[in-house]
Amino acid sequence: MNCTKTGLTSIAAVVALLLAVTCVYAEYTYISESDILTASLVNQDPDPAIAGNMVELRIGIENWGSKPAEGYFIELVLDYPFEPISGQKYILSTDRLEGFQTVEDQKIIKFKVMTDREIPEGSYDIDVLLYKEGQREYAAIKKTLSVDVKTRENAEVIYIGQVKLVPGQQTPMEFTINNVGRAPLKDLIFSWENEDDVVLPVGSADTKYIKYLGVGEKTTVSYDVIADTNADPGLYKLTLSLVYDDPVTGVQKEVTNNAGVYVGGGTDFEIAYSESTGSETSFSIANIGSNPASSVSIMIPEQDGWRVSGSNSAIIGNLNKGDYTVASFSLQQEASAPQGTSPPARSREDYAKMTDEERAALREQMQQTSSAKTIKVDVAYTDTLGDRYVLTKDVTMGLDANITRAASGMRGNFAGGGFGQNGRNGSITTALKQIGYYILGAALAVGLIIGLLKYRRYRIMQMSKKYETPKKNETKSKISLRGDK
């Protein structure tokens, strides 16, 4: 009987064990052949979020099951301190996720939300729901994510008033500081620095003090700055610092930002008449500014009184600061001078009635008309920012300019006798010049003769001194000899 009971017990145990194994296998089979979705916060931008600003949440969706997951939706449940942004969707499809699509292969879904501007600094929870269509209320997978938020700075530098500096040129620069907090600020300290020392303040330190700044108010601090004349053109970083005491906590805070200023820009040129040889007239062009210039070209624009034969432009190329070059043109001066620049023609009787002072003034006026002619010259170049500029310069032509007139003008009339006695006066002037030359030659000859006579007299006196006083014994000898005779 006992054996029978024992056998029945053994059989029951075996059956129970088989049933348990079957159940375990069935459970394992159910898990491995299903879809298992999870959600996590991969990152946020910015991190941490700024109170009152937008933040982008990047949520990763993973499928840990072997079965592909299709037809799922992800919903971001917004609650304080997070607020929706107009135009953004907060229920999105996850699309198809393959089995075991996890970690590096996870699907990233992005949501953008606003944070309340009044919240204190800290971490805040936000819920995510995963569900199939029509199953949100009873089969949704809920995941709670944590978002880091910090309070907005009470003050910020929101504007820099100058972004381009010309080397060696003093330039005003302004910084605008705004109180964006909920309480007034006192005793603010603003400073800036360029670590390369290319840009420096002039006449003051780089630190400014602000005594009081009310809520929503802004103030401007000004500097005179200058960029190093030897600085290479380019963008330079300014590190901005604003130190103040937090009105709530009393802890000193420092806000640092970076701003960029460009050193470079335009330049200036000087153009001067150089020389004229034959039909060619040359001009010297110098870069007198603080920046290099590229693609420089010189042009003679159309203008009254001048005419260019052939090309009216010359390509020079690049000119560094301090460099110069020469450009030549086939230039002719036309006959008619601009109105009001030439002296009026006068009759023979008018010229005869003029005083010596009036005649001298007339000659000076005619000389100025001849020598002070100006011509407009354009110089085009590209600055270091890539902008193209054209400068117009007035160039004074010299007396020795070998420029051909197209026809005889008033000066020809004057030289040909338009003033009546001009031919005779010209002859008299020439004769006087010749007499002057003769007098000068005669004076030089007389001077030379006098110099030779003085030199000859000097030599004779030197020779005379040598034999002027004979020795005493020689004198006595001569006397005794005379006595013997």
Side-chain angles (χ1 to χ4, degrees):
M1 187 67 180
N2 292 333
C3 292
T4 303
K5 290 182 178 180
T6 302
L8 291 173
T9 303
S10 299
I11 292 171
V14 171
V15 172
L17 180 60
L18 290 174
L19 289 173
V21 171
T22 302
C23 291
V24 172
Y25 175 76
E27 178 69 19
Y28 175 77
T29 303
Y30 171 76
I31 295 174
S32 64
E33 293 182 358
S34 65
D35 49 41
I36 305 174
L37 301 187
T38 62
S40 61
L41 180 62
V42 177
N43 55 46
Q44 64 182 68
D45 182 28
D47 188 7
I50 307 298
N53 285 8
M54 182 191 72
V55 59
E56 183 180 76
L57 305 178
R58 298 164 184 170
I59 299 174
I61 309 299
E62 299 174 291
N63 180 11
W64 288 91
S66 62
K67 181 182 177 181
E70 295 182 286
Y72 278 90
F73 291 88
I74 179 172
E75 178 181 346
L76 190 67
V77 181
L78 297 179
D79 199 359
Y80 179 85
F82 302 104
E83 302 170 358
I85 298 175
S86 178
Q88 294 290 314
K89 295 180 179 180
Y90 297 99
I91 300 177
L92 300 173
S93 173
T94 63
D95 296 328
R96 178 185 173 92
L97 285 92
E98 301 296 336
F100 300 113
Q101 184 175 338
T102 61
V103 192
E104 294 182 357
D105 297 327
Q106 65 182 320
K107 186 176 184 62
I108 304 296
I109 296 179
K110 301 176 181 179
F111 294 98
K112 293 181 179 179
V113 298
M114 288 292 295
T115 57
D116 187 87
R117 64 171 299 173
E118 303 296 333
I119 58 174
E121 186 172 320
S123 296
Y124 294 87
D125 292 340
I126 188 169
D127 291 335
V128 172
L129 299 180
L130 289 167
Y131 54 84
K132 285 190 175 182
E133 186 174 2
Q135 300 179 5
R136 182 184 187 276
E137 301 302 327
Y138 62 89
I141 302 171
K142 181 179 178 181
K143 182 71 174 178
T144 300
L145 310 177
S146 180
V147 179
D148 294 329
V149 181
K150 75 172 183 177
T151 56
R152 189 174 183 179
E153 299 292 357
N154 288 312
E156 62 182 2
V157 182
I158 61 172
Y159 181 72
I160 179 172
Q162 180 62 255
V163 295
K164 185 171 74 172
L165 303 176
V166 177
Q169 179 176 316
Q170 185 170 314
T171 307
M173 179 179 287
E174 295 182 344
F175 299 89
T176 302
I177 300 168
N178 190 19
N179 182 355
V180 295
R182 300 187 296 272
L185 300 176
K186 298 179 181 179
D187 300 325
L188 297 90
I189 303 173
F190 174 77
S191 63
W192 62 272
E193 180 185 15
N194 170 235
E195 60 182 9
D196 301 319
D197 287 340
V198 171
V199 182
L200 293 172
V202 178
S204 68
D206 59 2
T207 301
K208 298 283 186 179
Y209 298 91
I210 304 165
K211 189 174 183 63
Y212 180 86
L213 192 61
V215 177
E217 292 182 355
K218 59 185 178 182
T219 187
T220 300
V221 290
S222 302
Y223 298 85
D224 286 329
V225 302
I226 192 168
D228 191 348
T229 55
N230 297 317
D232 295 327
L235 188 65
Y236 290 84
K237 182 179 75 173
L238 300 183
T239 301
L240 314 181
S241 173
L242 183 63
V243 179
Y244 63 94
D245 291 334
D246 190 293
V248 178
T249 64
V251 177
Q252 189 177 75
K253 281 191 168 185
E254 181 179 10
V255 180
T256 58
N257 290 306
N258 293 325
V261 293
Y262 188 87
V263 176
T267 188
D268 196 10
F269 296 87
E270 183 173 314
I271 303 178
Y273 165 76
S274 179
E275 63 177 353
S276 293
T277 55
S279 61
E280 291 291 319
T281 301
S282 299
F283 298 92
S284 299
I285 302 97
N287 182 351
I288 60 173
S290 302
N291 293 308
S294 58
S295 303
V296 181
S297 59
I298 304 298
M299 295 162 287
I300 306 293
E302 288 189 12
Q303 54 196 291
D304 294 335
W306 301 97
R307 178 167 56 87
V308 179
S309 299
S311 177
N312 70 329
S313 64
I315 298 176
I316 293 175
N318 300 336
L319 272 182
N320 292 325
K321 60 179 182 179
D323 287 353
Y324 78 97
T325 188
V326 175
S328 300
F329 300 91
S330 181
L331 191 63
Q332 291 181 328
Q333 183 179 351
E334 295 180 346
S336 58
Q339 186 176 0
T341 60
S342 298
R346 296 182 181 272
S347 64
R348 184 175 304 178
E349 291 77 9
D350 291 339
Y351 188 76
K353 296 176 181 179
M354 293 174 65
T355 64
D356 293 340
E357 291 78 7
E358 292 175 336
R359 293 173 184 173
L362 181 61
R363 285 194 294 270
E364 183 179 357
Q365 183 180 0
M366 291 200 61
Q367 185 177 5
Q368 290 176 353
T369 302
S370 174
S371 62
K373 275 285 190 179
T374 60
I375 184 171
K376 293 186 180 298
V377 180
D378 291 343
V379 52
Y381 74 100
T382 301
D383 70 1
T384 58
L385 284 169
D387 296 327
R388 190 75 176 167
Y389 293 94
V390 178
L391 304 179
T392 300
K393 302 290 184 178
D394 290 327
V395 181
T396 301
M397 306 299 292
L399 277 171
D400 61 337
N402 186 15
I403 302 173
T404 306
R405 286 180 176 267
S408 61
M410 195 280 296
R411 281 198 57 156
N413 186 33
F414 178 74
F419 290 106
Q421 297 180 358
N422 181 63
R424 183 170 52 189
N425 289 338
S427 300
I428 294 173
T429 303
T430 303
L432 290 175
K433 288 184 178 179
Q434 291 178 350
I435 293 173
Y437 293 148
Y438 292 147
I439 293 173
L440 178 62
L444 291 174
V446 171
L448 181 61
I449 293 172
I450 293 174
L452 289 174
L453 291 175
K454 286 187 176 182
Y455 178 74
R456 185 168 180 272
R457 182 179 178 184
Y458 170 78
R459 293 292 298 169
I460 293 172
M461 291 178 65
Q462 291 294 323
M463 293 295 294
S464 302
K465 288 180 179 180
K466 186 175 180 180
Y467 299 101
E468 183 178 6
T469 307
K471 293 181 181 181
K472 292 182 178 181
N473 56 356
E474 291 180 352
T475 305
K476 291 180 178 181
S477 176
K478 289 180 180 180
I479 294 173
S480 60
L481 287 173
R482 289 174 182 171
D484 292 339
K485 287 181 179 182

